[in-house]
Amino acid sequence: MSVIFNLFNSIAFERTASKIVETFFDSIVASVVKALYRSSGESLQSITRLTHLPSKQVLQALVSLIQHNLASFEYTPQRQVHYRLNKANIFYLLRKNKYIHHVREKLGVAAELVVERVLEEGSITASQVIVCTTCKLLMTDLSSAVDRANQNPGDRHIIVRDALRQLIELGYLERCASPSSPAPPCCPLLVKPSSDDKHRFLPDDHLNLQLIAQAVTENVETSSSSSGAILPDASSFPDGKIYWRLNYDAFHLQWRDTLLVTSVEKNVGAEVGLVFRGLLQVAYSTVEDKWQSGVYTTAAHVKHALNSAPHLEHCLQLLGEGESGGCVRRIGVGGGGGEYQIEVAQLVAHITAEFLAKRIKEMFGSKAARVFRLVMRNHIVSADMIASACLLDKKEADQVSNMLFLNQILLVHDLRKASMPSSHTPELLFFKVNFLEVVRLTASQCFTELYNLLRKRELLTEKNRSLMEKKTRVDAIVDNIVKSGATQEQIQDIEEMLTDAERTAVTKWLKQQDQILTVVSGITDDIFLFELFSRYYCHVDDLSVGRSAA
Amino acid sequence: MQDDAASTSQTPSVYGSSYSEEEKRILALCEQFKQGITVSVIENDMPHLTKQMVVDALNKLLAKNKLQLLSKQDGSLLYKLKDPVLLHKLKGANKEEQAVYEIIERSGSFGIWARKIRAESNLHLNVVDRVLKRLESKKLIKSINSVQAPKKKFYLVSSIEPDHSLTGGAFYSDNQFDSNFVEVLMDTCYKYLATKLKSAEAEHGKDGPLTVVNAAKVTSKEMQEYIERVKLAKIALSVQDVEKLLDTLELDGVVRSCSGGYGGKAGGGGVKLWRAVPDCTPTPHLLYAPCGVCPMAHRCCDMGSITPQSCRYLEEWLQ
């Protein structure tokens, strides 16, 4: 299989990408994204020509994109700079809250705030992020959540530093290029980090804690709680040239493992899921690239590492028998008990096939899913066979297969026609499934739906803008008079500036926004599965995808 | 066979005086060997007869319609006694009727349709139709419509049960696929497997997951017995029928099959075992909003009649 399958290279993602950028940045950056989308590299002049924008604005947009790792640049042999989009990273903007939530669950509030700040800035120095996060902690009531019993509240920047160090050590943050001249960063003059190992960690000699504490005090005094902490100048700290950004791969690897383990857990129970997770961890210790599909580990190693797991033998036997979607294989039974091979690609293909079957079931009914699984399992199926193999009425089977064909899920397999057509030769119709195409099609539908939802949200935001501004104004006034000790009557008077109808409209809009964002977040999960499939599909031959589906 | 033939020296006297001694003996041999006899059997039994005499006797019996001539795979000829009941029934039947009946008889349980009879008998289609009607009225043959091609009429000997490919098997009634019946059967099978899984989890939960999985497995035979016990079907379902139901459940993603015996339960390899699997795939989030199921999604864009801003389904969903 040598077909290149990049999920984010589709035409369907084009308008979604520019809409996402418009939502998180502005329309100028979105136009630059639109201009860059279809090309493999554009110069500043050609982007300016395509967008009809002044070159200064285009340059600023490119700075924002590069800073957030949404675009990259390279020098051509003619020493020209060409800019290119990092399309996947544009999509990851929609997962912003998921990254933040993941870190909060794993490492607590301080780490969450650090990640939030890093995502906000795109790339940032350690000192800058410590100052901003500490200020936020001091200015909001979140500080109580990170205060340790024996910790001096004045040492909160130490807590933030520790959280940052932890994030770097666990690989959630990575070194990135830094602007060669300080503020304002002038792209494309960036200095790429060296591959030296020491830059993967946060060395203490790069942080001047005294300077940081001083910057925090100054920042708290100058900034208000509503505007948030002001980003200090990077050059005023010793680590002014060491920039950090989010490493999406670290998150995605953990999400992949969770997805695989959950699938095994739901199929054969929690105990087996636990052993499978252990098996993955043991296998990781033997490989450098944790993303690779076929990872091996010896049975002796597994038994030693997981000896406390209950019913280990049972779980290993079940995993080896194909209950894991055929992804764990036991190879050899030598003196040490042989080896275990984990074929992640196989399980990903199995989960994807089940996901697609579920979608077909929900959309066209269980009989359609049955036909889909049959064709997947048998590779090519004659139209006459569908009715008998799926226990369907002939007419119904024809209807279902026709419906799947019209929706591009089933394809008609072309047969070479007889050189001498005769009435005795029956007309045979065969169906097949191009699994890759079905995944591509579903992903395109996901992108279309994302675009529609983001567009709808934008329209509703515009419609409710004046109302929301009024509500914000009223809330601000109420806050101020509460602080100045106003009576209940005075507060009520101010609150009544918003009528009941307006309040209902605000509540409704907030609810609608939640509804849209919940689905958007869910669709990013669906896309994540397709991302995994696109990463691994070349390790899976079509036949095994079919088998795993049934 | 030859020794057996030689041992029979008695000639039955059921045949009248119109038969010569040789003919009577040949008929007796044919009665003894129902599968038919060759010339060598006759020659061994009656070594005093010359080849010409044997041939004459056989020709006479064939002319009297007492024997039928068949050819073996190696090309040698086989003489077989005609069914006396059939002979009685075909009494008065002309040669065309006999020829057509023989063709139909040869087709066995698969049956044969009129055009093929015409091709094999070299008779005109009208003649074939007339003959078929006559044979049907005599109740020698019956016609059925195949489920594969409902307009095609297949003919087969009335005493033979039609093949499943013609009738469709247990899941067809009156040549129609009985979807409701199949649904009920599948539902029953799944419920049985699901109950088995639940009880396995309750009883063997502490013994480890492998014990639970093994205890939840059921053989096709067990399932067939269960369906028989609950008396769902009027006709008895074969193990193959039950396996077809379970196969379909596997295609539905709610049952998983595996082969081979386990823990002494199935008693050996090659036995197909089935167990229920929970439907654990979550509903795709794509389907939560109307765009995920919209048949017009491919035409939806910022301009034109179908746009996200003017979509009433999106509006209704947000309400």
Side-chain angles (χ1 to χ4, degrees):
Chain A
M1 269 215 200
S2 56
V3 193
I4 297 165
F5 175 39
N6 186 347
L7 205 62
F8 301 108
N9 257 349
S10 65
I11 296 170
F13 184 57
E14 186 178 356
R15 58 180 189 157
T16 313
S18 90
K19 185 55 70 190
I20 293 170
V21 171
E22 200 179 332
T23 313
F24 285 90
F25 296 89
D26 57 33
S27 57
I28 295 171
V29 186
S31 340
V32 173
V33 165
K34 216 172 183 177
L36 281 174
Y37 193 88
R38 289 198 191 189
S39 78
S40 55
E42 291 281 358
S43 66
L44 183 63
Q45 288 78 13
S46 58
I47 301 170
T48 312
R49 201 175 54 245
L50 286 166
T51 52
H52 305 292
L53 289 167
S55 62
K56 202 179 169 187
Q57 281 187 351
V58 173
L59 200 63
Q60 273 177 349
L62 284 169
V63 167
S64 297
L65 288 172
I66 291 172
Q67 196 182 337
H68 285 88
N69 197 20
L70 305 179
S72 55
F73 64 90
E74 61 186 9
Y75 288 98
T76 61
Q78 293 81 32
R79 297 299 298 163
Q80 263 197 327
V81 182
H82 272 199
Y83 300 94
R84 199 169 43 192
L85 276 186
N86 299 336
K87 292 168 188 169
N89 290 0
I90 294 179
F91 181 77
Y92 299 157
L93 287 174
L94 289 176
R95 293 201 189 123
K96 207 172 164 179
N97 290 339
K98 282 182 189 284
Y99 298 123
I100 295 170
H101 180 75
H102 179 88
V103 167
R104 188 196 174 104
E105 293 286 303
K106 289 248 167 192
L107 304 171
V109 178
E112 176 203 354
L113 292 176
V114 170
V115 168
E116 195 181 346
R117 192 72 203 191
V118 173
L119 280 168
E120 209 173 293
E121 298 298 330
S123 52
I124 193 168
T125 65
S127 300
Q128 280 179 312
V129 81
I130 294 171
V131 171
C132 292
T133 312
T134 314
C135 286
K136 186 160 187 182
L137 275 173
L138 290 168
M139 287 188 289
T140 57
D141 46 2
L142 281 167
S143 50
S144 58
V146 294
D147 270 348
R148 295 168 195 169
N150 54 353
Q151 197 92 38
N152 179 0
D155 291 342
R156 282 202 191 102
H157 61 286
I158 306 284
I159 300 171
V160 176
R161 194 263 327 256
D162 291 348
L164 180 70
R165 184 174 282 168
Q166 217 175 350
L167 282 167
I168 293 169
E169 279 169 10
L170 290 171
Y172 290 119
L173 295 182
E174 62 178 0
R175 274 290 305 274
C176 65
S178 52
S180 60
S181 59
C186 178
C187 86
L189 302 170
L190 292 167
V191 180
K192 299 248 164 100
S194 71
S195 56
D196 195 349
D197 242 357
K198 73 177 183 184
H199 288 112
R200 293 191 184 175
F201 302 98
L202 187 64
D204 274 335
D205 56 347
H206 281 172
L207 293 178
N208 186 337
L209 291 175
Q210 222 171 353
L211 214 59
I212 288 172
Q214 198 184 329
V216 169
T217 322
E218 283 169 15
N219 212 321
V220 171
E221 281 166 11
T222 51
S223 54
S224 65
S225 64
S226 56
S227 64
I230 300 160
L231 190 71
D233 185 6
S235 61
S236 50
F237 298 98
D239 65 333
K241 285 194 186 302
I242 303 173
Y243 275 70
W244 301 92
R245 71 176 175 209
L246 211 67
N247 178 17
Y248 297 114
D249 258 12
F251 290 88
H252 295 170
L253 187 73
Q254 291 186 9
W255 294 352
R256 183 203 71 174
D257 289 354
T258 309
L259 186 84
L260 302 182
V261 171
T262 313
S263 163
V264 172
E265 246 174 33
K266 284 180 176 171
N267 266 313
V268 260
E271 273 180 78
V272 187
L274 211 66
V275 169
F276 182 64
R277 189 180 278 280
L279 207 59
L280 279 173
Q281 296 305 325
V282 173
Y284 285 159
S285 61
T286 62
V287 289
E288 248 186 52
D289 179 17
K290 291 178 181 176
W291 281 101
Q292 77 183 58
S293 174
V295 282
Y296 294 86
T297 180
T298 61
H301 197 180
V302 171
K303 278 170 194 166
H304 176 72
L306 304 174
N307 60 355
S308 60
H311 306 113
L312 179 64
E313 282 298 331
H314 278 198
C315 298
L316 288 173
Q317 200 177 328
L318 276 173
L319 285 169
E321 275 177 5
E323 297 291 348
S324 57
C327 86
V328 178
R329 260 184 283 178
R330 193 167 182 171
I331 305 162
V333 275
E339 274 188 334
Y340 285 99
Q341 183 195 5
I342 307 170
E343 279 291 344
V344 176
Q346 201 69 35
L347 187 51
V348 168
H350 170 77
I351 298 170
T352 313
E354 279 306 314
F355 176 89
L356 291 176
K358 183 80 176 185
R359 183 182 166 243
I360 291 167
K361 184 182 173 183
E362 298 284 337
M363 272 187 85
F364 309 111
S366 61
K367 285 167 186 170
R370 199 184 290 172
V371 173
F372 172 73
R373 280 196 179 98
L374 174 81
V375 183
M376 285 279 292
R377 189 172 68 175
N378 296 2
H379 244 276
I380 294 173
V381 174
S382 81
D384 296 333
M385 192 191 148
I386 290 176
S388 63
C390 292
L391 280 186
L392 293 175
D393 185 30
K394 180 95 178 67
K395 208 181 260 178
E396 201 178 9
D398 286 346
Q399 274 175 355
V400 169
S401 42
N402 192 36
M403 187 170 61
L404 290 176
F405 171 69
L406 289 176
N407 283 283
Q408 298 169 40
I409 292 161
L410 292 189
L411 299 175
V412 170
H413 181 72
D414 288 323
L415 282 180
R416 190 190 273 183
K417 282 183 183 157
S419 52
M420 292 287 285
S422 81
S423 58
H424 295 296
T425 321
E427 255 187 57
L428 294 171
L429 185 65
F430 286 91
F431 287 113
K432 64 178 178 182
V433 172
N434 185 340
F435 193 70
L436 204 61
E437 273 309 312
V438 180
V439 171
R440 210 193 294 263
L441 186 79
T442 315
S444 296
Q445 282 164 349
C446 285
F447 291 138
T448 308
E449 185 163 333
L450 275 178
Y451 175 81
N452 288 351
L453 291 172
L454 292 175
R455 179 87 184 102
K456 191 74 190 170
R457 182 170 173 257
E458 187 185 62
L459 290 165
L460 290 172
T461 311
E462 200 52 51
K463 195 176 145 191
N464 294 298
R465 187 180 296 280
S466 58
L467 187 68
M468 290 308 287
E469 277 171 2
K470 189 177 175 184
K471 188 185 180 294
T472 316
R473 268 200 314 275
V474 171
D475 286 349
I477 297 167
V478 170
D479 272 353
N480 282 336
I481 61 167
V482 166
K483 276 179 193 163
S484 58
T487 60
Q488 196 57 42
E489 265 180 31
Q490 284 170 321
I491 294 168
Q492 208 171 341
D493 283 346
I494 300 295
E495 277 177 345
E496 275 171 7
M497 282 166 73
L498 266 182
T499 64
D500 284 347
E502 283 171 334
R503 272 182 205 287
T504 317
V506 166
T507 318
K508 187 182 164 188
W509 161 229
L510 293 174
K511 223 173 170 181
Q512 284 175 337
Q513 208 169 5
D514 279 352
Q515 198 176 344
I516 290 172
L517 291 177
T518 308
V519 177
V520 167
S521 160
I523 293 174
T524 61
D525 289 347
D526 295 352
I527 294 283
F528 180 66
L529 178 61
F530 298 144
E531 266 183 270
L532 286 182
F533 180 75
S534 71
R535 190 187 269 264
Y536 287 117
Y537 83 100
C538 51
H539 300 286
V540 185
D541 58 320
D542 274 352
L543 191 70
S544 42
V545 169
R547 274 198 206 121
S548 65
Chain B
M1 190 169 103
Q2 284 169 5
D3 293 341
D4 288 346
S7 65
T8 37
S9 54
Q10 294 287 317
T11 304
S13 56
V14 286
Y15 301 107
S17 55
S18 59
Y19 294 92
S20 66
E21 279 306 311
E22 293 83 30
E23 287 168 21
K24 283 179 188 170
R25 182 62 201 144
I26 290 170
L27 289 171
L29 284 170
C30 285
E31 261 181 32
Q32 194 181 348
F33 302 106
K34 301 278 183 201
Q35 72 275 24
I37 55 168
T38 56
V39 177
S40 57
V41 175
I42 303 167
E43 284 173 348
N44 277 347
D45 189 70
M46 295 175 281
H48 59 280
L49 294 181
T50 61
K51 219 164 208 169
Q52 188 56 47
M53 286 164 78
V54 174
V55 171
D56 287 344
L58 284 168
N59 279 342
K60 277 181 191 168
L61 286 172
L62 284 168
K64 284 173 185 167
N65 216 7
K66 283 286 169 190
L67 293 183
Q68 67 182 99
L69 189 59
L70 304 167
S71 68
K72 279 170 79 176
Q73 276 181 347
D74 59 358
S76 59
L77 296 172
L78 200 70
Y79 298 91
K80 196 177 168 188
L81 198 64
K82 279 199 172 178
D83 183 9
V85 183
L86 182 69
L87 277 176
H88 177 72
K89 281 183 182 172
L90 281 175
K91 209 172 182 182
N94 58 25
K95 283 193 174 172
E96 288 160 351
E97 285 173 11
Q98 283 177 23
V100 170
Y101 183 85
E102 271 172 27
I103 291 167
I104 294 171
E105 198 182 27
R106 269 207 302 274
S107 70
S109 60
F110 291 98
I112 188 166
W113 66 307
R115 279 206 186 170
K116 215 165 176 196
I117 296 174
R118 183 207 157 190
E120 283 189 24
S121 63
N122 284 330
L123 293 170
H124 193 271
L125 196 58
N126 288 344
V127 179
V128 172
D129 282 343
R130 203 174 55 233
V131 170
L132 286 170
K133 266 182 199 166
R134 228 178 292 157
L135 288 173
E136 257 190 295
S137 66
K138 284 180 183 173
K139 299 202 171 157
L140 288 172
I141 60 166
K142 61 184 173 186
S143 66
I144 58 160
N145 287 1
S146 157
V147 289
Q148 304 282 348
K151 285 178 186 169
K152 263 188 188 175
K153 227 177 194 182
F154 281 77
Y155 294 93
L156 63 164
V157 175
S158 43
S159 56
I160 292 176
E161 276 302 310
D163 188 75
H164 276 197
S165 61
L166 284 180
T167 58
F171 307 122
Y172 281 76
S173 61
D174 301 332
N175 262 10
Q176 292 287 316
F177 182 76
D178 198 343
S179 335
N180 291 339
F181 176 57
V182 170
E183 290 291 321
V184 170
L185 283 173
M186 280 171 62
D187 199 37
T188 312
C189 290
Y190 177 68
K191 275 182 184 158
Y192 179 68
L193 289 171
T195 319
K196 194 93 180 161
L197 178 66
K198 264 189 188 171
S199 61
E201 278 169 353
E203 285 171 29
H204 304 284
K206 286 176 189 169
D207 306 335
L210 185 65
T211 320
V212 173
V213 167
N214 283 343
K217 285 175 182 170
V218 165
T219 63
S220 311
K221 183 82 187 141
E222 271 178 73
M223 185 55 83
Q224 185 215 18
E225 284 165 4
Y226 173 73
I227 292 175
E228 254 175 43
R229 264 206 312 279
V230 292
K231 288 175 185 163
L232 268 177
K234 281 178 193 167
I235 52 160
L237 293 180
S238 65
V239 175
Q240 282 77 21
D241 289 333
V242 174
E243 278 188 353
K244 218 167 182 186
L245 289 168
L246 292 166
D247 251 338
T248 313
L249 280 172
E250 194 176 15
L251 287 175
D252 281 348
V254 291
V255 161
R256 187 171 294 164
S257 71
C258 58
S259 56
Y262 62 94
K265 185 174 181 178
V271 179
K272 230 172 176 186
L273 299 164
W274 310 84
R275 75 172 180 96
V277 282
D279 184 11
C280 50
T281 314
T283 304
H285 293 90
L286 173 68
L287 302 173
Y288 284 133
C291 307
V293 287
C294 180
M296 289 293 160
H298 62 284
R299 286 180 55 195
C300 187
C301 58
D302 282 332
M303 284 176 287
S305 54
I306 305 164
T307 62
Q309 49 266 45
S310 64
C311 179
R312 69 185 171 96
Y313 300 106
L314 208 52
E315 200 59 49
E316 275 170 24
W317 174 69
L318 283 168
Q319 297 307 316

